[in-house]
Amino acid sequence: MPGWLKDAVFYEIYPQTFKDTNNDGIGDIQGIIEKLDYVKALGCNALWINPCFDSPFKDAGYDVRDYKKVAPRYGTNEDLYRLFEEAHQKGIHVLLDLVPGHTSEEHEWFKESKKAQPNEYSDRYVWTHHWIQGIAGHPYIGGEADRNGCYMLNFFKCQPALNYGFLNRTEDWQLAPDHPACIATREALKDIMRFWLDHGCDGFRVDMADSLVKDDDENKSATGAIWKNIREMLDVDYPEAAIVSEWSNPHQSLKSGFHADFYLDHHGNGYNTLIRDNETPGGDHSFLKKDGNGDIMRFLLDYLPKYDDTKDDGYISFITCNHDTPRARLTLSYDELKIAWALFLTLPGVPFIYYGDEIGMRYLDIPTKEGGYTRTGTRTPMQWDNSKNYGFSTAEADKLYLPQDNSEDAPTVEKQAGDPDSLYNTTKALIALRHQFTDLQADGSFSVIYAEKEQFPFVYRRGNLLIAINPSDKKAAAELREDAFVKEDAAKGDVSKTSAVYSIGSCSISGSTLSIEAQSFAVFELV
Ligand code: NOJ
């Protein structure tokens, strides 16, 4: 486990819309370099940069045409190497985005693979043996290649599936995961990882990490075996490199070698019940909505078994949102967002903040761009200051990659930086708190102290810190058990001698009773 992950707070950057320095309306690597001090001042010490590689951009760069080349619209490879260097000088680690399951249909491998004449890349992708023979249960395309076969897709039409084999095989064109062609795909992936690690990157966020071996078993064990093999390479040659999976099944991912796995907002799961539980009748029942009458137990029933099962294997990563999900500001107000970020930044694991969420940028209802569809509204340009285009770019507004939030109260860093109560300053204070107390870091212990069905507050322990959260609009109280105050070394702790080390709103403890005002959050240290 790379030691730096323990205290890592990530900042996700969508390179298209973070900072444009050459006035073409689209963000670039130089823009990220210029904003490293901003990232550092916020308290983040790690970056995840969405794909910045050569691509026809039919899926915003998740359709990679050349894994080893920076897309010219963002700059050059040298710019990215410089970013690694300058980030490291500031104590910031950098993860790139690795797309192992598919390439662009314009990738050289695929152009070779399409040829009628057998060659080194014929089996790099999944092909059937006849132009009219489809792939039951999987999307596929016919009629596009000279080769007599149909090819399988991994996502959009522009993203043919790389071939890591099939575990359960029923057709003669399906290769076993240990077929030399499938091993060659895995080795090609390792070669790409080595290329960027050798140039100074610190690891990868891995796209659709569970999608490698097709018709895998229930536990995805054949896909897991590939990641175990890759982890062995990292442990030997790059022990400080980290891999974080888009898998959202920590039992599978963390036990297959990933250091961290995202807790994504899959329909009906625990994350969803916290911030966006608006599909049940009677309005939004999210725990973090002040009038949501939410239920923390719905989150805990999903999260706790996952945490208990994997806490010795790796970390579960909470996200404020990401480039695929609506911004949390769509359903939560600024005050609700403060409590939400307080929760996400004090739970175990490695947290990720999506650019602009520290100021509560809005989700915009805008037309699709580069395969974004309903995700496009989360990808709009960062709102830095009160200058033209909020300081994102000096290009004319109609030349920007995406439109911006034109409402009068559009948040900017500049507006919020001067206000001690702003979401920006609250986020900054919460991140500082996490760095200050090792108990709050990724592997600090976690236990539930008070959580009752449809009740507030929620009280939990991280090491010797006692944390209470009441997102509701009503005052709440809880009777705490004796063990809530027992320090980790078993000595009796006492919170009564200390006031909260951090609070939003107000909370106090008298005897064994914790009282917390509406919309409040507090962290107490047992002394
Ligand atoms: C997940 C990525 O986060 C998303 O943006 C992309 O469209 C798909 N994977 C396909 O690569």
Side-chain angles (χ1 to χ4, degrees):
M1 179 65 75
W4 60 270
L5 274 183
K6 271 190 192 201
D7 187 29
V9 178
F10 275 88
Y11 193 77
E12 180 190 346
I13 292 180
Y14 199 67
Q16 288 89 322
T17 48
F18 192 56
K19 173 72 188 167
D20 171 23
T21 58
N22 63 350
N23 313 326
D24 59 357
I26 186 163
D28 42 53
I29 307 274
Q30 179 58 28
I32 300 176
I33 294 174
E34 289 180 15
K35 291 295 183 185
L36 286 173
D37 283 333
Y38 170 80
V39 171
K40 191 173 168 146
L42 181 63
C44 291
N45 51 13
L47 298 180
W48 156 27
I49 303 174
N50 291 104
C52 53
F53 313 109
D54 182 43
S55 166
F57 293 104
K58 290 186 177 171
D59 183 15
Y62 282 95
D63 46 333
V64 181
R65 185 163 50 199
D66 184 344
Y67 285 103
K68 294 185 180 173
K69 184 180 173 204
V70 166
R73 71 189 198 178
Y74 301 130
T76 62
N77 281 23
E78 279 61 39
D79 293 330
L80 188 53
Y81 306 155
R82 203 158 41 83
L83 166 62
F84 299 149
E85 225 177 275
E86 299 209 12
H88 292 163
Q89 278 166 17
K90 296 179 196 296
I92 297 173
H93 289 85
V94 184
L95 298 192
L96 296 179
D97 208 317
L98 182 71
V99 187
H102 48 267
T103 66
S104 156
E105 60 198 343
E106 295 184 21
H107 194 289
E108 284 304 320
W109 296 342
F110 190 63
K111 289 188 189 160
E112 288 299 309
S113 201
K114 280 168 87 175
K115 291 184 176 162
Q117 189 67 25
N119 61 59
E120 189 188 340
Y121 300 101
S122 297
D123 288 328
R124 179 59 50 93
Y125 297 82
V126 179
W127 289 90
T128 66
H129 283 163
H130 196 273
W131 62 273
I132 206 158
Q133 179 187 23
I135 305 178
H138 297 283
Y140 66 91
I141 297 284
E144 288 270 321
D146 290 343
R147 177 178 175 158
N148 182 18
C150 297
Y151 61 92
M152 184 173 166
L153 303 176
N154 214 37
F155 198 67
F156 286 157
K157 184 259 164 191
C158 62
Q159 290 156 321
L162 283 162
N163 196 0
Y164 296 89
F166 282 69
L167 183 62
N168 294 304
R169 295 175 296 283
T170 51
E171 307 287 336
D172 60 354
W173 49 265
Q174 297 173 332
L175 304 184
D178 61 358
H179 185 282
C182 303
I183 299 295
T185 310
R186 183 192 75 196
E187 293 305 305
L189 181 65
K190 282 155 82 174
D191 173 62
I192 294 160
M193 295 174 79
R194 283 182 173 280
F195 176 84
W196 289 111
L197 291 167
D198 289 341
H199 279 106
C201 99
D202 300 292
F204 304 90
R205 173 270 187 184
V206 179
D207 186 71
M208 293 172 66
D210 62 335
S211 73
L212 306 193
V213 176
K214 306 305 179 196
D215 296 350
D216 205 344
D217 61 19
E218 225 177 87
N219 260 325
K220 302 244 171 179
S221 57
T223 296
I226 294 176
W227 291 115
K228 281 181 191 156
N229 176 280
I230 289 174
R231 172 69 183 267
E232 274 167 30
M233 170 186 88
L234 296 180
D235 285 350
V236 174
D237 292 339
Y238 307 94
E240 285 300 296
I243 45 175
V244 182
S245 50
E246 185 197 29
W247 193 316
S248 214
N249 185 328
H251 178 76
Q252 295 175 351
S253 56
L254 300 182
K255 291 186 191 288
S256 301
F258 279 97
H259 300 104
D261 186 24
F262 291 113
Y263 193 60
L264 298 172
D265 72 333
H266 290 166
H267 175 75
N269 83 349
Y271 184 86
N272 208 278
T273 69
L274 293 174
I275 67 163
R276 209 171 9 252
D277 190 10
N278 46 15
E279 286 173 18
T280 38
D284 189 332
H285 295 288
S286 308
F287 176 71
L288 292 162
K289 269 209 86 62
K290 71 174 189 223
D291 53 1
N293 302 315
D295 181 359
I296 193 63
M297 290 312 293
R298 295 178 62 210
F299 163 68
L300 290 174
L301 286 173
D302 183 68
Y303 171 70
L304 267 185
K306 290 177 177 162
Y307 169 74
D308 285 335
D309 173 45
T310 58
K311 61 179 187 293
D312 298 328
D313 302 299
Y315 304 132
I316 294 176
S317 281
F318 287 93
I319 58 172
T320 59
C321 88
N322 70 23
H323 63 290
D324 290 332
T325 66
R327 286 193 185 265
R329 176 76 176 81
L330 182 66
T331 46
L332 302 183
S333 70
Y334 282 114
D335 287 340
E336 288 165 340
L337 285 174
K338 287 182 193 168
I339 308 282
W341 293 177
L343 177 65
F344 293 157
L345 288 166
T346 56
L347 285 172
V350 184
F352 281 69
I353 295 172
Y354 184 61
Y355 81 96
D357 277 351
E358 69 276 30
I359 54 169
M361 271 173 59
R362 285 196 173 83
Y363 171 84
L364 301 187
D365 187 8
I366 49 176
T368 185
K369 172 101 177 185
E370 295 185 347
Y373 300 97
T374 55
R375 307 175 293 183
T376 308
T378 299
R379 301 174 174 183
T380 61
M382 177 66 182
Q383 294 159 201
W384 294 105
D385 56 36
N386 306 334
S387 66
K388 182 176 177 182
N389 305 320
Y390 301 118
F392 162 65
S393 167
T394 52
E396 288 315 309
D398 61 354
K399 296 279 178 307
L400 298 188
Y401 176 81
L402 283 175
Q404 294 185 293
D405 180 356
N406 287 324
S407 37
E408 251 172 42
D409 63 347
T412 65
V413 174
E414 185 179 344
K415 273 190 217 164
Q416 292 195 12
D419 170 5
D421 280 338
S422 65
L423 182 61
Y424 169 76
N425 279 315
T426 304
T427 310
K428 204 166 159 177
L430 285 162
I431 299 173
L433 190 74
R434 197 173 164 102
H435 294 314
Q436 184 188 344
F437 290 98
T438 47
D439 282 349
L440 285 180
Q441 294 169 9
D443 59 353
S445 71
F446 170 71
S447 58
V448 173
I449 299 295
Y450 180 91
E452 296 288 336
K453 192 172 163 49
E454 292 169 9
Q455 299 290 312
F456 299 93
F458 169 40
V459 185
Y460 49 106
R461 276 275 298 268
R462 297 293 317 280
N464 284 327
L465 301 175
L466 184 73
I467 304 178
I469 172 168
N470 176 20
S472 83
D473 55 3
K474 290 174 203 70
K475 190 176 167 152
E479 274 309 304
L480 303 186
R481 300 182 312 263
E482 175 86 347
D483 66 354
F485 303 101
V486 176
K487 286 182 71 175
E488 286 220 308
D489 60 8
K492 171 96 168 67
D494 183 0
V495 278
S496 60
K497 292 202 192 104
T498 170
S499 55
V501 290
Y502 178 78
S503 60
I504 297 170
S506 150
C507 179
S508 61
I509 298 176
S510 163
S512 58
T513 309
L514 180 142
S515 310
I516 183 163
E517 293 296 328
Q519 292 255 278
S520 293
F521 169 87
V523 179
F524 296 90
E525 188 180 15
L526 302 179
V527 290

